[in-house]
Amino acid sequence: MLKVPPHQVAGHEAVDGKLGPLVDESGRFYKPLQDDERGSNEVAFYSSLSTNSGIPEHIRRFFPTFYGTQLIEASDGSGLKPHLVLEDLARGQVNPSIMDVKIGSRTWAPEVSQKYVEKCLKKDRESSSLPLGFRISGLQIFRNKELGFWKPGKKAAQKLSTEEVKLVLRRFVSSNTLNDLDLEPDCGLASTVYGGSAGILSQLLELKAWFEDQTIYHFYACSILLVFEKELALEGRNPNAQIKLIDFAHVNEGRGVIDHNFLGGLCSLIKFVSEILTAPNEYKTEVSAKDGQKNLINTDNGVVADQENLINSGNGVVADQKNLTNAVNGVS
Ligand SMILES: Nc1ncnc2c1ncn2[C@@H]1O[C@H](COP(=O)(O)OP(=O)(O)OP(=O)(O)O)[C@@H](O)[C@H]1O
Ligand SMILES: O=P(O)(O)O[C@@H]1[C@H](O)[C@H](O)[C@@H](OP(=O)(O)O)[C@H](OP(=O)(O)O)[C@H]1O
């Protein structure tokens, strides 16, 4: 039986009669091919990845397993449609915390139309993509069984300012239950999730080492998905923290040139994650130095003006505007 992915955090969604991905019980994720060249590009990328002997084995694990394409009933009722068949990265996870981080300060490939450049540039400007080289496309953070997930709307997630992105990266690995009384995230799970030889930082560094050398592909508008099971981390067990690259509709040939756009964004993400490990309390200092809530709320890109999207969190976690503002800013 195909169903809407229970843990999708960004991208096109199979809701309200729209076209989006589906999952089955055997652990497969079916992503519909978009009718334009984005669909064929993504198939071409996965096919090339499967056959390219230049990709080291330890790097292949950062990509979802690809099982080809299949005609299945599309979620929008339009009938049979070709779908990419991928490994479901949330399979077997009970309450996964997930963050989709779109890498690169520039999200369009060369030789696209001026209209498309303008569309992307607008989003890059309105998000942290330009200043940071990446943006959070969407996320969910498990709080606890009673409260469920903290899942801000996609639009609001994408408009987080630099300070808010730093806060959310801390919040992602915090063990406090993230309600409006939390003054700041405790980063209690940082060493288990971000740190250690199998942790997210170590994986990001491994990926970076490949990007410092590889000239096969240029990954425009591609994301790194960060996933882990918070409940396992809280129990002191291995939280299965992993990073995976997803969304290859805009991958181009590298033609002997390193992917400096992706590499720059990856280094920027690595820097923030490293800082959380070395100085988990630094955010507290920044907040007080900036007169706390007032300055953080009045961000220059209007995150808090987008309250409606944040409140409409899909699973009703954020109950009201006040909680939301506090949730985003980490202040009460
Ligand atoms: N293989 C996978 N397994 C589980 N979840 C996935 C997988 N691939 C993608 N997702 C989920 O779906 C979301 C969207 O994925 P993706 O970016 O590939 O779709 P998209 O519709 O092309 O997105 P966009 O509109 O941003 O281009 C991700 O944020 C993630 O939550
Ligand atoms: O992140 P959001 O707000 O969901 O917005 C989507 C996101 O920017 C995708 O990257 C984009 O697809 P491309 O990158 O492939 O252009 C898609 O365009 P679309 O609506 O034209 O499919 C947008 O709707």
Side-chain angles (χ1 to χ4, degrees):
M1 247 283 273
L2 293 169
K3 60 174 187 181
V4 175
H7 300 299
Q8 182 176 345
V9 298
H12 303 91
E13 289 171 82
V15 291
D16 304 331
K18 287 188 284 187
L19 186 62
L22 298 166
V23 288
D24 69 14
E25 278 141 19
S26 78
R28 296 196 174 187
F29 184 93
Y30 300 83
K31 179 173 173 178
L33 265 57
Q34 282 160 304
D35 290 329
D36 54 26
E37 69 284 352
R38 290 179 289 181
S40 49
N41 280 351
E42 194 157 21
V43 175
F45 171 76
Y46 272 112
S47 307
S48 147
L49 187 73
S50 312
T51 53
N52 193 319
S53 56
I55 319 289
E57 275 314 309
H58 71 282
I59 294 302
R60 283 186 190 281
R61 76 183 170 107
F62 293 127
F63 295 87
T65 308
F66 174 55
Y67 300 103
T69 59
Q70 195 176 320
L71 281 175
I72 62 163
E73 289 290 336
S75 63
D76 61 356
S78 60
L80 287 176
K81 217 178 168 47
H83 288 63
L84 286 158
V85 187
L86 303 169
E87 164 194 6
D88 179 3
L89 302 171
R91 189 204 181 186
Q93 310 257 7
V94 184
N95 291 306
S97 290
I98 304 184
M99 195 184 305
D100 178 322
V101 185
K102 193 179 280 255
I103 306 289
S105 61
R106 163 184 161 168
T107 55
W108 70 92
E111 294 159 24
V112 295
S113 70
Q114 190 57 31
K115 196 171 164 216
Y116 186 70
V117 170
E118 279 160 21
K119 173 187 154 182
C120 293
L121 189 54
K122 183 168 184 295
K123 284 189 174 181
D124 297 348
R125 282 200 176 119
E126 288 171 351
S127 69
S128 63
S129 292
L130 283 187
L132 300 187
F134 68 88
R135 66 172 174 260
I136 297 176
S137 285
L139 79 154
Q140 65 177 32
I141 303 179
F142 185 63
R143 304 199 294 177
N144 59 33
K145 287 203 170 68
E146 290 69 43
L147 296 170
F149 290 94
W150 184 68
K151 189 171 183 176
K154 280 189 301 181
K155 296 288 170 222
Q158 289 170 19
K159 289 185 176 177
L160 296 175
S161 65
T162 296
E163 284 310 312
E164 288 159 339
V165 166
K166 286 164 95 171
L167 170 61
V168 168
L169 285 168
R170 286 176 151 75
R171 194 158 282 238
F172 193 57
V173 290
S174 287
S175 62
N176 44 356
T177 51
L178 310 174
N179 60 36
D180 58 339
L181 299 175
D182 297 328
L183 285 175
E184 68 272 324
D186 63 16
C187 296
L189 308 174
S191 59
T192 324
V193 176
Y194 288 157
S197 59
I200 279 175
L201 178 61
S202 164
Q203 294 177 51
L204 290 171
L205 290 170
E206 200 173 336
L207 192 62
K208 171 173 163 268
W210 183 59
F211 269 91
E212 283 167 346
D213 183 54
Q214 78 85 17
T215 59
I216 308 169
Y217 302 116
H218 284 184
F219 291 87
Y220 294 102
C222 161
S223 289
I224 296 181
L225 205 65
L226 314 182
V227 187
F228 76 99
E229 278 273 15
K230 184 169 172 180
E231 283 168 303
L232 292 179
L234 287 169
E235 289 165 13
R237 294 162 63 196
N238 179 355
N240 297 324
Q242 55 171 327
I243 63 163
K244 293 279 182 183
L245 290 162
I246 57 162
D247 201 0
F248 307 109
H250 304 281
V251 174
N252 262 33
E253 285 179 21
R255 299 176 197 275
V257 177
I258 64 161
D259 188 352
H260 48 83
N261 181 56
F262 189 99
L263 182 59
L266 180 56
C267 289
S268 175
L269 176 63
I270 285 173
K271 175 76 177 154
F272 285 152
V273 171
S274 308
E275 280 172 3
I276 294 170
L277 283 165
T278 50
N281 294 323
E282 192 182 305
Y283 184 76
K284 206 188 294 182
T285 319
E286 283 176 18
V287 170
S288 43
K290 287 185 172 184
D291 189 25
Q293 186 170 359
K294 185 165 150 276
N295 284 307
L296 279 163
I297 290 176
N298 294 325
T299 56
D300 57 5
N301 62 3
V303 165
V304 175
D306 207 358
Q307 281 158 346
E308 200 182 308
N309 282 310
L310 273 159
I311 291 168
N312 185 10
S313 65
N315 57 5
V317 167
V318 179
D320 61 39
Q321 182 168 323
K322 177 172 166 286
N323 283 353
L324 159 65
T325 303
N326 292 334
V328 170
N329 294 298
V331 285
S332 59

